[in-house]
Amino acid sequence: MHSKAIIVGSGIGGLSAAICLRLIGWRVRVLEQATEITEVGAGVQISPNGVKVLEQIGVMPLLDTVLFEPDTIEIRMGISGKKILEIPMKGLAIDRWGAQYIQIHRADLISALTARLSQLQPNAIQTGAKVVSYKHIPCGTEVTKADNTKERANLVIGADGIHSVIRNQMLGPDMARFTGNVAWRALVPLALLGDIAPPPTGCIWAGRKRHAVTTRVRAGSIVNFVGIIEQSDWQKEGWKVEGLKQDALTDFAGWDQRVLNVIKQAETLHKWALFDRKPLPYWHQKHVVLLGDAAHPMLPSMAQGAVQSIEDAYMLAQCLEEAEDDTIPNSSANYFAKRIKRVTRVQQVSAQNLRLFAEFLNTCTNFILCANVACWKVSSRLGSEAK
Ligand SMILES: Cc1cc2nc3c(=O)[nH]c(=O)nc-3n(C[C@H](O)[C@H](O)[C@H](O)COP(=O)(O)OP(=O)(O)OC[C@H]3O[C@@H](n4cnc5c(N)ncnc54)[C@H](O)[C@@H]3O)c2cc1C
């Protein structure tokens, strides 16, 4: 059987889903609203549970020259820089969890996923294709795009992010919740930082009502900075705006010079509002299913949003492997049943971590869960490459 899937959104989740479905023999079509596939200038950490899937689906070889493997994951006090916890990673992650813990530029990950997809099925992605609605048809779904053209498939996968149109239609309009936190983000070439650079680790800098994370991307040549602060309101229309360097310096005034130097040397600093959503009662309706941030947006304090979307993609493909056109809804229900408990737990711990990092870490227990989530086992294998 060669079923067809339409995947709405070409983020990390959507592209992973397209690859996973292609590998079980489906034809795929990715509809992306943006006119070109670009990514924000930011880094992303992929823990071993995500790397295992990327290995299985043939993406890791395309990341070899651009990934960075941190020596450790550590927690330091934001002001004094004093180290209070360290978990060894480089070399040991493979022994303990069966795969590397990596840091990567989001654009590099997106290019690798796109390249892998085009090895499996050239021209699978259509850009400038904004989906506005869907309609159930016998044994499938029809989507309507903003230009009023329509396309049909046996399954539509809503991988269209936190403000998902597909989620909205499936579960009714509901605004994502502003969490009262905003994130500063910047990328700075290591060469600009001289001797005052954050360590080559995944470093969480903890402070009162704020924390920062520094990582390295592009084979270690760029420092990635995320600084999260509590802020009671968010008035801008877009959810990402360029911020003023002076505001970022004020937010982290008095902090370790290695953090401040990154802010000072940043050419551009972006500010993002952080949203989340309560766990949804279901992610599937007939021949439509949700995945990634569209299904379960989460705070970044466990570095798992993208990783969970990769896990979703893998699990969805596993559930669909034996499906016939008329049993696809059952497979989607099975996928939801297999994923909801784990993803809800990760959402909860991400929210707890945010509070812990911003309250001087009375206990590190939950942080350690962050590393332990990597224990997820890729239990069964995808079929061989799609014909
Ligand atoms: C500050 C910060 C740091 C983070 N760090 C990490 C980390 O270290 N590790 C980690 O695992 N996660 C991290 N995350 C979370 C991660 O970024 C997200 O969970 C992940 O990118 C979600 O991927 P997605 O594919 O589900 O959605 P998205 O990346 O939002 O992609 C959705 C895609 O759908 C497209 N789209 C939207 N609507 C439509 C439509 N109607 N029609 C067609 N296309 C549409 C969009 O243009 C976009 O390309 C972080 C998040 C933040 C904010």
Side-chain angles (χ1 to χ4, degrees):
M1 186 197 63
H2 294 287
S3 297
K4 177 185 168 188
I6 288 176
I7 295 133
V8 184
S10 70
I12 295 168
L15 291 171
S16 301
I19 295 167
C20 289
L21 285 194
R22 187 67 199 130
L23 285 168
I24 59 159
W26 282 49
R27 283 176 297 125
V28 293
R29 173 101 165 126
V30 181
L31 301 178
E32 167 57 50
Q33 64 181 3
T35 46
E36 57 180 313
I37 312 267
T38 52
E39 248 304 332
V40 286
V44 65
Q45 307 191 64
I46 305 292
S47 50
N49 46 324
V51 170
K52 279 184 191 173
V53 175
L54 295 177
E55 278 170 354
Q56 288 264 330
I57 65 176
V59 175
M60 283 309 284
L62 302 170
L63 294 175
D64 248 7
T65 56
V66 286
L67 64 78
F68 181 76
E69 206 183 345
D71 290 345
T72 62
I73 289 187
E74 56 182 6
I75 304 181
R76 292 173 181 266
M77 300 310 288
I79 292 176
S80 67
K82 193 173 160 209
K83 193 190 294 181
I84 51 177
L85 177 82
E86 181 178 69
I87 302 174
M89 281 291 154
K90 194 165 179 171
L92 295 174
I94 294 185
D95 288 345
R96 184 159 181 199
W97 295 298
Q100 290 168 296
Y101 193 107
I102 64 167
Q103 299 171 349
I104 190 136
H105 195 303
R106 294 176 70 98
D108 293 341
L109 179 54
I110 289 287
S111 321
L113 291 166
T114 310
R116 179 65 179 135
L117 178 57
S118 82
Q119 284 172 0
L120 297 166
Q121 185 186 317
N123 306 316
I125 305 174
Q126 186 190 353
T127 52
K130 183 179 168 69
V131 171
V132 291
S133 64
Y134 65 80
K135 184 174 95 182
H136 300 295
I137 56 172
C139 274
T141 305
E142 179 181 87
V143 294
T144 302
K145 293 183 255 174
D147 63 4
N148 216 20
T149 55
K150 299 180 193 306
E151 273 191 53
R152 292 177 165 203
N154 305 99
L155 179 66
V156 167
I157 302 176
D160 48 344
I162 188 162
H163 303 294
S164 166
V165 166
I166 304 295
R167 189 216 67 86
N168 237 26
Q169 182 171 340
M170 186 186 290
L171 287 120
D174 168 31
M175 297 294 283
R177 182 182 72 98
F178 173 52
T179 59
N181 289 275
V182 298
W184 288 99
R185 294 181 109 171
L187 289 174
V188 180
L190 183 63
L192 289 182
L193 299 173
D195 293 337
I196 315 174
T201 63
C203 186
I204 296 154
W205 306 79
R208 189 176 293 281
K209 297 191 176 200
R210 67 210 62 216
H211 74 272
V213 180
T214 50
T215 56
R216 299 227 177 144
V217 298
R218 210 151 275 168
S221 64
I222 297 178
V223 171
N224 174 56
F225 166 78
V226 178
I228 296 182
I229 55 156
E230 285 184 20
Q231 182 176 308
S232 53
D233 62 327
W234 181 259
Q235 279 138 11
K236 300 272 180 197
E237 272 290 308
W239 79 303
K240 184 185 88 170
V241 294
E242 204 166 313
L244 295 176
K245 187 177 287 193
Q246 192 47 53
D247 290 349
L249 287 170
T250 304
D251 283 342
F252 292 94
W255 274 44
D256 189 287
Q257 284 304 318
R258 289 168 289 186
V259 174
L260 293 179
N261 200 26
V262 177
I263 300 175
K264 283 180 195 153
Q265 299 301 332
E267 198 177 300
T268 319
L269 280 143
H270 282 111
K271 217 173 174 185
W272 299 55
L274 298 181
F275 290 87
D276 68 3
R277 204 183 281 288
K278 286 197 184 127
L280 300 175
Y282 51 92
W283 304 344
H284 52 94
Q285 184 185 58
K286 297 186 177 174
H287 292 249
V288 186
V289 68
L290 300 173
L291 166 155
D293 276 9
H296 46 69
M298 56 183 71
L299 283 160
S301 313
M302 206 173 162
Q304 281 296 309
V307 173
Q308 291 304 308
S309 75
I310 295 170
E311 283 191 8
D312 285 347
Y314 187 84
M315 184 60 78
L316 179 61
Q318 278 203 328
C319 292
L320 288 167
E321 202 164 2
E322 303 295 326
E324 298 294 331
D325 284 349
D326 58 344
T327 61
I328 287 172
N330 296 343
S331 302
S332 298
N334 192 17
Y335 149 77
F336 172 75
K338 285 182 188 288
R339 294 292 296 149
I340 185 66
K341 202 168 156 203
R342 174 176 174 81
V343 166
T344 303
R345 177 79 181 122
V346 177
Q347 278 178 305
Q348 286 164 348
V349 177
S350 300
Q352 281 168 23
N353 275 358
L354 182 80
R355 289 193 294 277
L356 283 170
F357 299 154
E359 284 166 12
F360 287 94
L361 295 157
N362 294 325
T363 167
C364 296
T365 319
N366 280 347
F367 173 71
I368 289 163
L369 269 173
C370 166
N372 282 341
V373 78
C375 292
W376 187 67
K377 294 205 170 49
V378 175
S379 52
S380 55
R381 306 191 159 257
L382 282 171
S384 54
E385 306 243 329
K387 304 97 206 162

